[in-house]
Amino acid sequence: MSAHALYVTAAYGITAVVLVGLIGWILIDQRARKRELAELEAAGIRRRSDKAARP
């Protein structure tokens, strides 16, 4: 394998690892935000947009 092919393979590998890490981080953060919203709604705190939906 030439030096150029090794460089390209390494670049693609590092990019793949970074993308997987970012996707994982986003999914973990999404779960945390959903949990926080559920806790707030359980405490009686509603969203401002909720008022417009109710008569």
Side-chain angles (χ1 to χ4, degrees):
M1 187 184 276
S2 71
H4 178 70
L6 183 61
Y7 171 79
V8 171
T9 304
Y12 275 112
I14 291 169
T15 301
V17 168
V18 168
L19 286 175
V20 168
L22 286 172
I23 291 169
W25 181 21
I26 289 169
L27 292 174
I28 291 169
D29 191 55
Q30 177 188 22
R31 286 187 204 147
R33 298 297 81 78
K34 283 184 177 181
R35 192 176 330 113
E36 288 177 1
L37 277 174
E39 290 172 2
L40 288 171
E41 288 179 354
I45 300 172
R46 300 283 180 227
R47 299 179 197 182
R48 281 184 273 165
S49 60
D50 216 15
K51 292 178 185 176
R54 294 183 183 177

